[in-house]
Each structure stands twice: as C-alpha cells, then as structure tokens.
C-alpha cells in the first residue's frame, strides 16, 4: 500500500475530537482575509509539490534499493508515510479554502532530478527546507485568526521532523542549525519553479530571473559541513534582469541564512553571467543566495521587494 492510513491533519486534532466526526469540516479554521488566502494558496502549491516528490520516492524505488544504498530497514515505508502526511496537509488546506468559497490551486506537472535513493533524499532535503522556510515566513502574516496560525505551525513542525529523518538517513546531522531560515512568499515560490514543467494555474506571484548554483543538483548534504571560505559559484543571464545594470557595477550575493537574515558578500566575476563568493563564517544548513547590487542595509523583505536581481539559489552548507 502506498500511503499509511493513519495520516491525520496534525494540529487540528483537538478541534476534530471536540466535535462529532460528521462536523469535523466545520471545525477547520476560517479564511478571514486576502492575506490568509494568499498564504494558504502558496502552502498548498508547495504541498502538492512535496506530495509528488515523496510519492515518487516511494514508488520509484524498492526496499532492496534503499537497503543497498545504505538506508536503515523501514526507510522506504517511512517515505510513504511522509507522502501520506503531505496528502493530508494538501487535503486539509484545500478544504479550508473551499469552505471559505475560494478555489484551491491545483497540482502542477513536475520533474525531479533524482536517479537513485540517495539523490532522492538529498533533493527531498532541499525541497523540504524551502517548505519549512515558506511556513516560517508565512506564519508571520497569519494575524487574523489564531487557529489558522496554529494549524499552519503544526504542519511546519511535522515538515521539520520529516527533514530530520531524511538527513539522518544519509548520515547527515538531523539538526544542522540552531535556527531554520524563513523565506518570503516570492522567494519560496521562485525556488519551486525549477521543478515545474507546467501548471493549469499559477499563483499571482512574480517569477524572477534565474540564479543557478553551479554544483551537483540535487545538492548533497555535506558531512562534515562546508567550511567558511569555500567558494560558491553561480550563473545567471544579465539580459533577463528587470532593471538595467551597469556591467562594471559591483555585484553582491545576499545570503539568507537562519536568523542573521541577510549577509551581503561582494562577488568576484568568473566571466559574463558568472560570479563566485566565499562561504561566510557562521553560515550553516540550508542557505539561499540572491544576486543584488546592494552591499547591505536590506532585510529579506526589502531584498524581495526592490533589491533582488534574481530569484534565490539554494545551497546546502551542512
């Protein structure tokens, strides 16, 4: 059987048990504002992505393949449980939106660049880190109803457990940082685009020019962590920028990581549309690099609103 039958809408259990089963739908939190809807639609967009990812990680490989790759017994079955959770999350968010008279965003068609159990898990770590960042960033915007914030937060904690389990499976640290990294909706949405083939409906969020980390895709979980000073290399197409940039102007990478928010690092050119930067001291876990002409003074929201030349590129540092 692909999915566990025990999957439930985590965080909504107290509400569900407080009412008869036939009234459970009425216990779900309301959608009180356009901001609530936009946060939920993005969360659903990412849950669809993760459901497709984890479903493939279960169906495309056998138990024997996971075992041969060095994963512990039962790992594939737990990938199926994670897929179950993602389906429950997606179904719950869809129901909340439908109850509010909103049309839930449908799934897209996806393409994931994994070829074996190890590359699948490395990719799942990268994508789940984006999901965690989106829930962290979106939670601050859910100010109209505490029940809705509680429901979103309860999904976030489960996503973090998924990621810890996956990381341990490839002998990485299950908790590489003391803090996770929040993402704005624009940055989270753009990070999802590299896996999208087509969508029956996109969200009304700006798609920025692409920045590509020149590294294996999916990025492996480094063990030991990437040391400070290690050069990161990025490619981009200057002709796609939304604003005119002087070719002689210095460029910077704004590295979004943990609660330090954004660290600005001047780039070194390695040719047209190519730059390198050293990993700054203290950067760990999943970090998100954005190309900019600003050398500091912006937080992530400001970088999103007017400072970014490109979408983020994710780098896994530990």
């Amino acid at each position: 059987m692909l999915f566990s039958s025990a999957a439930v809408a985590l965080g909504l259990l107290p509400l569900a048990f407080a009412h008869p089963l036939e009234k459970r739908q009425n216990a779900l939190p309301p959608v009180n504002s356009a901001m609530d809807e936009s946060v939920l639609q993005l969360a659903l967009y990412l849950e669809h992505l993760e459901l497709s990812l984890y479903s493939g990680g279960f169906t495309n490989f056998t138990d024997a393949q996971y075992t041969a790759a060095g994963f512990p017994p039962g790992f594939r079955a737990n990938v199926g449980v994670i897929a179950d959770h993602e389906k429950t999350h997606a179904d719950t968010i869809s129901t909340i939106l439908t109850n509010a008279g909103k049309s839930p965003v449908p799934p897209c068609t996806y393409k994931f660049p994994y070829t074996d159990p190890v590359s699948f898990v490395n990719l799942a770590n990268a994508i789940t880190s984006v999901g965690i960042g989106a829930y962290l960033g979106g939670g601050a915007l859910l100010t109209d109803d505490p029940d809705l914030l509680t429901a979103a937060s309860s999904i976030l904690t489960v996503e973090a457990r998924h990621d810890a389990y996956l990381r341990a499976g490839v002998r990485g640290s299950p908790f590489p940082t003391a803090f996770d990294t929040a993402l704005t909706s624009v940055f989270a949405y753009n990070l999802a685009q590299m896996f999208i083939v087509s969508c029956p409906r996109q969200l009304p969020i700006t798609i920025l020019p692409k920045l590509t980390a020149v590294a294996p895709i999916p990025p492996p979980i480094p063990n030991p962590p990437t040391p400070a000073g290690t050069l990161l290399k990025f490619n981009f197409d200057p002709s796609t920028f939304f604003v005119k940039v002087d070719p002689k102007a210095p460029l910077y990478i704004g590295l979004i990581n943990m609660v330090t928010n954004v660290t600005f690092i001047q780039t070194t050119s390695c040719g047209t549309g190519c730059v390198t930067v050293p990993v700054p001291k203290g950067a760990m876990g999943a970090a998100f690099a954005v190309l900019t002409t600003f050398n500091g003074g912006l937080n992530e929201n400001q970088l999103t609103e007017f400072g970014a030349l490109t979408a983020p590129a994710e780098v896994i540092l530990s």
Side-chain angles (χ1 to χ4, degrees):
M1 181 173 68
L2 175 54
F3 303 131
S4 160
S5 60
V8 293
L10 295 173
L12 303 180
L13 279 174
L15 294 173
F17 281 109
H19 298 274
L21 183 62
E22 66 272 18
K23 293 186 179 180
R24 180 176 300 179
Q25 177 174 316
N26 296 331
L28 295 176
V31 178
N32 290 323
S33 68
M35 181 61 72
D36 287 352
E37 181 189 1
S38 67
V39 171
L40 290 175
Q41 293 284 17
L42 177 59
L44 180 57
Y45 189 89
L46 297 175
E47 292 292 351
H48 286 321
L49 175 73
E50 292 188 16
L51 173 56
S52 179
L53 171 71
Y54 285 108
S55 298
F58 181 88
T59 59
N60 292 337
F61 305 113
T62 64
D63 289 317
Q65 286 174 297
Y66 274 103
T67 299
F71 291 94
F75 193 91
R76 175 176 174 268
N78 282 332
V79 170
V81 173
I82 294 174
D84 257 347
H85 290 171
E86 305 302 351
K87 184 176 188 306
T88 300
H89 296 164
D91 289 348
T92 301
I93 296 169
S94 293
T95 300
I96 292 171
L97 288 166
T98 300
N99 286 353
K102 312 300 181 182
S103 175
V105 64
C108 301
T109 300
Y110 310 100
K111 183 176 182 179
F112 299 110
Y114 63 80
T115 56
D116 52 50
V118 172
S119 61
F120 159 72
V121 170
N122 283 323
L123 180 62
N125 168 63
I127 291 178
T128 302
S129 295
V130 173
I132 290 169
Y135 275 107
L136 277 173
L141 305 175
L142 295 174
T143 59
D144 296 304
D145 189 299
D147 288 338
L148 190 58
L149 176 58
T150 298
S153 299
S154 67
I155 293 176
L156 166 61
T157 58
V158 174
E159 296 286 344
R161 290 191 186 100
H162 294 166
D163 196 43
Y165 180 76
L166 293 167
R167 292 178 58 88
V170 289
R171 297 174 177 81
S173 170
F175 31 75
T177 59
F179 303 95
D180 282 315
T181 301
L183 290 168
T184 63
S185 60
V186 172
F187 285 167
Y189 187 70
N190 275 265
L191 285 159
Q193 297 309 307
M194 66 183 296
F195 309 110
I196 305 295
V197 176
S198 63
C199 285
R201 173 181 145 208
Q202 285 279 27
L203 298 178
I205 297 176
T206 301
I207 296 179
L208 298 167
K210 186 177 181 180
L211 180 69
T212 302
V214 183
I217 299 296
I221 298 168
N223 190 10
T226 305
T230 301
L231 285 183
L232 302 176
K233 185 177 181 180
F234 301 95
N235 288 341
F236 56 93
D237 181 355
S239 70
T240 63
F241 291 164
F242 292 168
V243 296
K244 186 177 179 60
V245 177
D246 183 344
K248 297 180 181 179
L251 296 176
Y252 300 84
I253 287 291
L255 194 69
I256 305 163
N257 185 231
M258 297 188 287
V259 294
T260 54
N261 210 325
V262 187
T263 301
F264 291 85
I265 315 144
Q266 186 165 354
T267 66
T268 299
S269 175
C270 46
T272 301
C274 178
V275 295
T276 62
V277 293
V279 173
K281 185 178 180 180
M284 296 182 290
F288 303 92
V290 177
L291 192 67
T292 181
T293 56
F294 287 82
N295 64 0
L298 303 184
N299 60 30
E300 186 183 347
N301 287 327
Q302 294 166 328
L303 187 63
T304 301
E305 291 169 7
F306 59 83
L309 293 174
T310 67
E314 184 175 9
V315 289
I316 304 297
L317 301 176
S318 62

